[in-house]
Amino acid sequence: MYFILFITVILTAVVLVVGAYVVAKLVGPRSYNPVKGQPFECGIPTRGTSWLPMHVGYYLFAILFLMFDIETVFLYPWAVAVKQFGPMALCSIGFFLLVLVFGLAYAWRKGALEWK
């Protein structure tokens, strides 16, 4: 029973995605201008190449920020429902924060938070 439901959901998703793609190709505009492919910033043409290498520290810092930012979002529902669950909720959030602190200490020790 659940397998048939699963297959139906997957097939429906595939049909909807393919259908949206086909409709977009049939209805969408087809004009191409070489200027459309050029990168620009606020209407000002770029000087030189736009394919500049970025320092990997930016990506690492952004990933760490997103990781800790999103995990702190999980603290809000816990804070709202902490009275209902009692001491077990406190223990579980303590473990959660301990894992976060260990992750931050590991990133700090590896030098991921330093700009070099």
Side-chain angles (χ1 to χ4, degrees):
M1 177 66 180
Y2 291 117
F3 182 73
I4 293 173
L5 179 63
F6 178 73
I7 295 298
T8 305
V9 168
I10 295 296
L11 287 176
T12 304
V14 169
V15 167
L16 287 175
V17 169
V18 170
Y21 183 76
V22 168
V23 168
K25 281 293 186 183
L26 292 175
V27 177
R30 293 187 182 92
S31 66
Y32 178 75
N33 189 348
V35 176
K36 287 182 182 180
Q38 293 180 353
F40 65 95
E41 181 73 27
C42 299
I44 301 170
T46 58
R47 284 184 255 159
T49 180
S50 61
W51 292 98
L52 298 174
M54 295 290 288
H55 190 268
V56 73
Y58 292 116
Y59 297 113
L60 186 58
F61 196 80
I63 288 172
L64 286 172
F65 172 75
L66 287 175
M67 181 179 71
F68 286 108
D69 189 45
I70 289 176
E71 290 191 5
T72 55
V73 168
F74 289 123
L75 292 176
Y76 182 74
W78 171 81
V80 170
V82 70
K83 287 184 180 178
Q84 296 173 354
F85 298 113
M88 189 60 188
L90 189 60
C91 292
S92 65
I93 202 64
F95 180 73
F96 179 75
L97 289 175
L98 186 69
V99 169
L100 280 181
V101 168
F102 281 146
L104 181 62
Y106 176 77
W108 197 342
R109 184 160 191 172
K110 286 292 207 175
L113 302 176
E114 296 176 10
W115 292 105
K116 296 179 184 176

